[in-house]
């Protein structure tokens, strides 16, 4: 099985904040999960570097646009590195390979008679890089609250209006194309309301890819940006990667940019005679302690600061667990600390620490293979693969929060097992049974940390090292292969110390 996961490419007018690294953290979790299953994964992220918004930001910084975007793209990629993101590619829209792909798509649309020259007179929002119809404005602003300006300029248009019916038919035939369902309804209503031709070039600024054959125009930044999902795979060349991964494309995006992905992008592709992606999933937005996060309010959350204080596993766990993926959420430092202390330190970390250090102290760090199991042991151990079956389905549906919840539910079961079996009492009353209980627990911990790797990669890596599990034995296929000989554990250390306020 092959998987292709994409995040939006980020505008480089602003530094990365929690809102902009969110999708990348979630997609990285999904990518790690699919790799864990042994699937072939291509996970793409990157930066969106053209357009009027970026040109203005560079001007304001007093730096030539190319130098400006080089610096900012570096900030995104180094932030992702610090957060332990393992993407297969980081695409930048100023790269020649991308430019070539956008020109090829443009030419194809032109050849298919889908683009014509006209003139645009209407509203444009630089912040959203979007055209709005008069009827969409609310109190003279874009529905997003962004300022709009009146633009009159020569422009090439894409015949979007031709694609209303084909789009509606496609959505009907592929009911899971747009998720979650409520968002799909919004898109359907928008398309049913009628589509007007879309302006796809601008002449009032220069920072973009010139229109082939008419360099007085630059290509509209969204037509440019959306093409990244194909240019990374080598389009317009018919590469092996393109044919292998493109049909599996799942675009994970924020709810604010769903229209571009679920309407314009499929229409461009249909018009170019190219296959469509498999799924578009729109997630919600984070507020900060109840308030909208914005550069102007100065209340955006710096992921690097959070990372220094808490570490990446904690950030990742918090964003995955706190909000059902798809819904809006509120970031609060106190709830992050609470999740760290109760879920990660007390429940998960403590499970590993108390079992492994007990073995160290009382069994010379030795664990015997599973033998002489009682019903209670079997029942407990059987629960893990049973629940993992469910967890796979959750990930198939991008319900990363449910995977995380179920993971913590297994951890809770293991803690209950300890409380019932009381190995510390068995030490005096029945040392042989104590050894069996400790083997069961070590085996459970092995499976738990294997399953936990996509959501808590660093902590699980450390615990797997304490258990001396080889790097080659850390995939889902190893879940059902318990220790076959005695293991001498390495000295454990707490993976999640409690955070003291
Ligand atoms: N460049 C376009 C995307 C082009 S994709 C072909 C863009 N960039 S962006 O930097 O403005 O936004 C990138 C993503 O960050 C969007 O999916 C947006 O929803 C997300 N978020 C920005 N702020 C956010 C929050 N406060 N919360 C959650 N996600 C947020 O749009």
């Amino acid at each position: 099985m092959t998987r292709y996961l994409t995040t939006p490419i980020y505008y480089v007018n602003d530094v990365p904040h929690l809102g902009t690294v969110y999708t990348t953290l979630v997609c990285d979790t999904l990518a790690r999960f699919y790799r864990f299953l042994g699937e072939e994964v291509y996970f793409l992220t990157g930066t969106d570097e053209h357009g009027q918004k970026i040109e203005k930001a560079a001007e304001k910084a007093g730096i030539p646009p190319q130098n400006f975007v080089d610096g900012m793209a570096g900030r995104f990629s180094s932030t992702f590195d610090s957060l332990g993101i393992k993407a297969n590619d980081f695409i930048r829209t100023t790269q020649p390979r991308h430019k070539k792909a956008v020109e090829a798509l443009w030419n194809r649309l032109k050849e298919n008679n889908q683009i014509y020259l006209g003139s645009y007179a209407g509203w444009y929002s630089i912040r959203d890089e979007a055209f709005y119809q008069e009827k969409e404005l609310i109190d003279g602003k874009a529905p997003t609250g962004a300022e709009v300006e009146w633009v009159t300029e020569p422009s090439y248009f894409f015949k979007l209006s031709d694609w209303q019916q084909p789009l509606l038919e496609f959505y009907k035939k592929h009911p899971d194309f747009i998720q979650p369902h409520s968002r799909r309804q919004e898109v359907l209503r928008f398309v049913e309301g009628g589509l007007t031709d879309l302006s796809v070039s601008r002449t009032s600024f220069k920072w973009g890819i010139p229109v082939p054959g008419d360099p007085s125009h630059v290509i509209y930044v969204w037509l440019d940006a959306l093409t990244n999902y194909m240019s990374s795979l080598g389009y317009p060349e018919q590469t092996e990667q393109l044919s292998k991964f493109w049909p599996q494309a799942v675009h994970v995006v924020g709810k604010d940019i769903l229209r571009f992905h679920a309407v314009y992008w499929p229409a461009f592709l249909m018009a170019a005679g190219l296959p469509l992606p498999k799924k578009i999933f729109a997630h919600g937005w984070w507020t900060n302690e109840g308030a909208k996060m914005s550069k102007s309010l100065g209340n955006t959350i710096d992921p690097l600061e959070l990372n220094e204080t808490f570490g990446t596993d904690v950030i990742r766990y918090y964003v995955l667990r706190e909000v059902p993926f798809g819904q809006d959420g509120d970031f609060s430092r106190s709830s992050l600390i609470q999740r760290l202390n109760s879920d990660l330190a007390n429940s998960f970390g403590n499970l590993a620490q108390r079992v492994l250090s007990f073995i160290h102290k009382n069994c010379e760090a030795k664990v015997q293979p599973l033998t002489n199991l009682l019903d209670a042991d079997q029942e407990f151990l059987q629960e893990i693969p049973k629940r993992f079956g469910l967890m796979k389905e959750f990930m198939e549906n991008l319900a990363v929060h449910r995977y995380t919840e179920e993971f913590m539910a297994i951890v809770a079961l293991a803690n209950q097992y300890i409380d019932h079996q009381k190995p510390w009492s068995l030490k005096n009353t029945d040392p042989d049974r104590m050894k069996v209980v400790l083997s069961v627990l070590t085996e459970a911990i092995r499976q738990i940390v294997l399953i936990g790797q996509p959501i808590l990669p660093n902590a699980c890596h450390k615990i797997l090292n304490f258990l001396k599990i080889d790097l080659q034995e850390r995939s889902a296929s190893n879940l059902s292969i318990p220790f076959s000989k005695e293991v001498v554990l390495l000295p454990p250390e707490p993976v999640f110390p409690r955070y003291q306020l």
Side-chain angles (χ1 to χ4, degrees):
M1 179 117 186
T2 53
R3 305 269 184 179
Y4 182 27
L5 274 171
T6 70
T7 73
I9 48 171
Y10 302 96
Y11 284 132
V12 291
N13 62 312
D14 199 357
V15 294
H17 56 78
L18 187 71
T20 52
V21 302
Y22 176 48
T23 329
T24 307
L25 276 170
V26 172
C27 287
D28 184 66
T29 304
L30 289 163
R32 282 172 189 266
F33 176 74
Y34 300 139
R35 288 184 201 122
F36 172 63
L37 291 185
E39 296 175 350
E40 206 178 342
V41 181
Y42 194 93
F43 161 35
L44 174 67
T45 191
T47 41
D48 190 352
E49 305 183 4
H50 288 133
Q52 203 169 5
K53 173 152 81 173
I54 310 296
E55 188 181 81
K56 278 187 181 277
E59 239 169 61
K60 201 169 154 206
I63 305 175
Q66 188 62 55
N67 300 6
F68 176 77
V69 299
D70 287 346
M72 292 297 282
R75 300 257 317 238
F76 273 89
S77 70
S78 67
T79 301
F80 292 157
D81 287 345
S82 327
L83 294 174
I85 304 288
K86 298 265 178 291
N88 296 72
D89 188 13
F90 186 96
I91 183 106
R92 299 183 49 191
T93 56
T94 51
Q95 289 167 335
R97 58 173 175 155
H98 175 75
K99 191 171 166 221
K100 199 166 117 193
V102 175
E103 287 166 350
L105 181 62
W106 179 280
N107 288 335
R108 217 162 147 151
L109 292 170
K110 198 84 203 298
E111 279 156 28
N112 290 357
N113 196 24
Q114 291 295 318
I115 287 181
Y116 62 91
L117 185 60
S119 78
Y120 181 76
W123 298 103
Y124 192 77
S125 155
I126 297 179
R127 195 182 87 187
D128 299 347
E129 294 285 14
F131 300 94
Y132 289 107
Q133 293 178 31
E134 182 87 35
K135 64 176 184 198
E136 290 181 283
L137 302 188
I138 303 167
D139 297 331
K141 289 193 173 170
T144 56
E147 299 290 334
V148 289
E149 60 180 36
W150 185 257
V151 171
T152 327
E153 60 187 11
S155 175
Y156 284 94
F157 283 84
F158 167 67
K159 291 183 181 167
L160 183 63
S161 55
D162 280 5
W163 297 95
Q164 180 185 10
Q165 282 317 317
L167 280 171
L168 290 171
E169 274 159 37
F170 183 83
Y171 302 146
K172 208 166 143 197
K173 231 173 114 191
H174 301 89
D176 293 334
F177 179 63
I178 304 166
Q179 286 181 1
H181 191 73
S182 55
R183 301 262 167 232
R184 173 175 190 265
Q185 297 308 104
E186 278 172 28
V187 173
L188 285 185
R189 277 197 298 274
F190 173 73
V191 177
E192 280 161 2
L195 297 175
T196 50
D197 289 351
L198 182 71
S199 165
V200 286
S201 76
R202 306 283 317 271
T203 47
S204 45
F205 65 92
K206 286 268 152 267
W207 186 239
I209 300 175
V211 165
D214 191 354
S216 59
H217 291 249
V218 293
I219 296 178
Y220 175 40
V221 65
W222 271 101
L223 174 51
D224 168 346
L226 287 160
T227 309
N228 89 88
Y229 301 131
M230 295 187 94
S231 55
S232 169
L233 298 176
Y235 179 82
E237 257 59 76
Q238 272 311 315
T239 60
E240 199 193 314
Q241 285 194 328
L242 188 69
S243 46
K244 198 195 280 180
F245 294 108
W246 176 248
Q248 302 305 325
V250 174
H251 300 317
V252 183
V253 301
K255 61 181 183 180
D256 54 317
I257 56 172
L258 181 58
R259 186 184 294 184
F260 302 96
H261 285 83
V263 183
Y264 302 165
W265 181 225
F268 294 150
L269 291 168
M270 282 179 178
L274 293 167
L276 268 53
K278 205 164 107 181
K279 193 182 285 185
I280 321 280
F281 187 99
H283 64 70
W285 266 50
W286 286 92
T287 49
N288 181 9
E289 315 279 349
K292 191 172 167 19
M293 255 187 256
S294 83
K295 202 173 165 183
S296 52
L297 289 173
N299 67 344
T300 55
I301 297 161
D302 177 2
L304 294 179
E305 185 273 321
L306 279 185
N307 196 20
E308 259 170 44
T309 316
F310 299 106
T312 57
D313 282 6
V314 177
I315 308 177
R316 192 187 277 264
Y317 178 78
Y318 176 74
V319 296
L320 294 172
R321 177 69 182 80
E322 189 70 6
V323 177
F325 194 50
Q327 293 180 22
D328 290 338
D330 184 41
F331 176 88
S332 118
R333 212 173 169 93
S334 62
S335 65
L336 179 139
I337 292 170
Q338 203 186 333
R339 290 246 176 246
L340 162 58
N341 286 343
S342 71
D343 299 7
L344 297 180
N346 284 2
S347 203
F348 173 74
N350 196 29
L351 166 68
Q353 187 58 22
R354 63 177 169 155
V355 171
L356 304 184
S357 60
F358 187 88
I359 296 171
H360 250 267
K361 280 195 204 107
N362 300 291
C363 313
E364 299 168 312
K366 289 182 190 143
V367 187
Q368 64 187 33
L370 293 173
T371 46
N372 300 326
L373 300 190
L374 302 184
D375 284 354
D377 307 332
Q378 306 266 22
E379 276 163 29
F380 164 53
L381 284 176
Q382 280 160 6
E383 226 12 68
I384 305 176
K386 205 163 99 195
R387 287 172 184 246
F388 183 63
L390 273 180
M391 292 166 84
K392 279 199 260 190
E393 278 175 45
F394 295 151
M395 285 309 225
E396 199 56 51
N397 297 321
L398 276 68
V400 286
H401 57 291
R402 299 202 63 190
Y403 186 93
T404 314
E405 268 167 32
E406 199 59 42
F407 170 75
M408 286 312 298
I410 301 179
V411 170
L413 272 184
N415 280 320
Q416 275 165 23
Y417 175 85
I418 303 183
D419 296 343
H420 288 153
Q421 300 300 327
K422 301 190 176 49
W424 53 88
S425 316
L426 291 170
K427 191 178 140 190
N428 302 320
T429 56
D430 189 350
D432 284 344
R433 172 69 190 148
M434 174 192 80
K435 283 191 181 154
V436 175
V437 167
L438 292 173
S439 303
V440 170
L441 278 164
T442 309
E443 173 54 19
I445 291 172
R446 185 187 71 91
Q447 293 185 31
I448 289 172
V449 287
L450 285 178
I451 296 173
Q453 293 175 99
I455 50 180
L456 299 169
N458 296 330
C460 292
H461 181 81
K462 280 189 200 154
I463 299 172
L464 288 163
N465 288 350
F466 302 151
L467 299 179
K468 293 212 190 116
I469 309 285
D470 276 0
L471 288 176
Q472 296 74 21
E473 290 172 2
R474 298 185 179 187
S475 62
S477 58
N478 298 104
L479 279 170
S480 55
I481 312 171
F483 293 106
S484 57
K485 45 185 193 302
E486 184 182 82
V487 192
V488 185
L489 304 177
L490 291 176
E493 280 158 33
V495 283
F496 289 112
R498 280 179 68 83
Y499 184 83
Q500 304 296 345
L501 281 173

